[in-house]
Amino acid sequence: MERLNWGMIGGGEGSQIGPAHRLGAGLDGAFIFAAGALDHRPSAGRAYGQTLGLTPDRSYGDWREMLEGERGRADAVDLVTVATPNATHFEITKAFLEGGFHVLCEKPMTMTVEEGEEIVKLSQSTGKICAVNYGYTGYSLVRHMRAMVSRGDLGHVRVVVAEFAHGHHADATDADNPRVRWRYDPAQAGVSAQFADCGIHAMHMASFVVGQDIERLSADTVSCIKSRVLEDDAMVNFRMSGGTVGRLWTSSIAIGRQHGLTLQVFGEKGGLRWSQEQPNQLYHMPIGKRLQVIERGEGGLSPEADRTSRVTVGHAEGMPLAFANIYKDLAEAIHARKNGRDIDPAADLYPRAEDGLRSMAAVFAVAQSGQSEGQWVDARPPMFR
């Protein structure tokens, strides 16, 4: 297939997420890194972009300059990734969708539900893809979990248990560190800290695997470090559209946990367990039988898993390759639209603007419930009620 042009906003030198996106976008040869506005400091962004191979005329000083520069080009970028600070996502994503570009936005897609609804409507009216980087759903065995649930291997799913807990913000003496403090400041982070940062990854993965949306929830939120305004630990109970019961714990003060994103699914006929820190193994317990360990890359898996596995069984695949699978999906989706054909069903799994909107509605629902001593609240965006 013809290679697509890709551009990036944010993700400059020293960025946590920028290298993962560049590795992911370039891994399969589907995208050429063609343009970027990589830093809020124009001169630094231009210089760094050129060290990565961008030509001087396409290493832009800011996103507005990039929008104007790309809009008139015959070889304009086909996809733009937005990897800037959270509060800027809405404005940049909106501008590029209106400019006729497909967009992959880092989460959270917006800072409010109203902004999220506007992005969903804009994506629909322009016919442009707006994807959201819930990148962990790109893992091969997460997609195999989804396929197993969808084809009925577990029967009706009764309970899903999700966790995303780490201990990297557990030191109270670190509370004034600017790299930590902003996350718990409502002026910069919004209405939620830990749930908005990590919990929505776990909640989205639960919906992705089970194939159901979150309808209502009850939350217990707490600031274990008392100087924090926003929560550093949350327990969320939720109910899903197909009747499944959900439990979710997320924390930033769980000393000893590193990147504890895990998912367990319990159905009538069996259970599944997967952990992001050991992503090559999926544990399947069929009812009345012995525990089975499913290995990434082994024979006989689903098309969704086979399509997203690159190296032979027994070799580790990590987070940048999970990101690469989101980009692989998007390349297939863009080519399908260009050529007027249906997308490969095994690739039609990238998170949409609708997912970003549902996540933002859940963030506000958790904040509301947490402030109301766990009152059950509607977690759906108004446009989906």
Side-chain angles (χ1 to χ4, degrees):
M1 286 192 294
E2 177 189 356
R3 298 179 74 186
L4 300 167
N5 288 325
W6 172 65
M8 188 175 195
I9 302 168
E13 190 170 14
S15 164
Q16 231 179 354
I17 205 70
H21 276 287
R22 288 188 287 274
L23 285 167
L27 188 63
D28 295 302
F31 290 99
I32 300 168
F33 185 28
L38 304 180
D39 200 295
H40 68 281
R41 300 163 299 173
S43 59
R46 290 190 182 98
Y48 186 57
Q50 290 176 61
T51 69
L52 296 176
L54 297 180
T55 58
D57 64 319
R58 301 184 81 176
S59 188
Y60 297 101
D62 61 49
W63 68 264
R64 292 180 177 85
E65 182 182 307
M66 179 171 163
L67 176 61
E68 290 306 311
E70 292 297 308
R71 187 152 43 189
R73 297 183 68 106
D75 60 348
V77 291
D78 298 284
L79 174 69
V80 175
T81 292
V82 178
T84 54
N86 295 354
T88 66
H89 289 178
F90 169 69
E91 180 183 21
I92 299 172
T93 297
K94 181 175 184 287
F96 275 85
L97 288 173
E98 290 174 335
F101 298 91
H102 301 299
V103 176
L104 170 61
C105 183
E106 263 299 331
K107 67 86 195 167
M109 182 177 75
T110 61
M111 296 294 286
T112 69
V113 176
E114 293 76 15
E115 289 175 347
E117 291 192 338
E118 186 173 347
I119 292 296
V120 169
K121 292 173 182 176
L122 185 58
S123 177
Q124 293 170 347
S125 65
T126 61
K128 295 300 176 182
I129 293 168
C130 180
V132 184
N133 190 42
Y134 291 107
Y136 303 114
T137 61
Y139 277 105
S140 178
L141 289 181
V142 171
R143 295 187 168 199
H144 188 60
M145 291 177 79
R146 176 187 170 101
M148 291 180 70
V149 170
S150 179
R151 69 193 186 195
D153 291 8
L154 273 61
H156 171 67
V157 175
R158 293 167 171 163
V159 177
V160 59
V161 180
E163 293 185 3
F164 198 157
H166 66 82
H168 300 301
H169 300 163
D171 188 349
T173 65
D174 201 34
D176 285 330
N177 181 337
R179 293 175 65 89
V180 175
R181 186 179 60 230
W182 76 268
R183 298 176 182 275
Y184 302 93
D185 177 5
Q188 299 180 74
V191 298
S192 170
Q194 178 59 19
F195 183 79
D197 187 32
C198 295
I200 57 173
H201 275 296
M203 183 169 278
H204 175 262
M205 185 176 285
S207 288
F208 178 81
V209 168
V210 175
Q212 299 177 35
D213 297 318
I214 313 300
E215 293 198 331
R216 56 195 182 97
L217 60 78
S218 168
D220 179 17
T221 59
V222 62
S223 300
C224 293
I225 294 179
K226 300 304 182 184
S227 61
R228 291 173 175 165
V229 177
L230 300 176
E231 86 288 349
D232 51 24
D233 189 279
M235 179 65 75
V236 182
N237 294 311
F238 56 91
R239 299 292 185 269
M240 306 185 81
S241 54
T244 294
V245 172
R247 316 289 189 198
L248 186 153
W249 171 53
T250 186
S251 181
S252 65
I253 51 84
I255 297 172
R257 299 288 292 268
Q258 295 299 324
H259 196 275
L261 175 58
T262 65
L263 188 71
Q264 299 177 84
V265 183
F266 304 105
E268 297 170 313
K269 299 191 292 186
L272 295 170
R273 175 168 55 90
W274 178 86
S275 172
Q276 199 267 161
E277 291 182 8
Q278 292 83 37
N280 280 355
Q281 288 80 40
L282 170 63
Y283 296 89
H284 177 211
M285 175 66 83
I287 191 167
K289 297 182 181 179
R290 296 176 66 88
L291 177 67
Q292 301 175 6
V293 181
I294 299 170
E295 294 280 349
R296 185 213 51 77
E298 70 180 33
L301 299 185
S302 60
E304 293 89 338
D306 290 341
R307 184 180 182 277
T308 51
S309 184
R310 291 173 181 78
V311 299
T312 54
V313 64
H315 295 84
E317 284 193 8
M319 184 263 280
L321 277 77
F323 278 33
N325 288 331
I326 302 295
Y327 280 99
K328 190 175 184 181
D329 291 347
L330 289 168
E332 164 63 12
I334 294 169
H335 280 299
R337 292 186 179 211
K338 282 188 170 187
N339 298 321
R341 60 171 175 80
D342 292 335
I343 187 174
D344 177 354
D348 197 13
L349 298 176
Y350 60 90
R352 268 74 164 172
E354 289 83 354
D355 298 298
L357 169 59
R358 289 186 185 278
S359 293
M360 187 48 56
V363 166
F364 277 84
V366 165
Q368 177 186 346
S369 179
Q371 293 165 5
S372 306
E373 298 186 340
Q375 178 182 353
W376 283 87
V377 298
D378 196 326
R380 298 170 298 174
M383 71 181 293
F384 292 154
R385 294 180 185 175

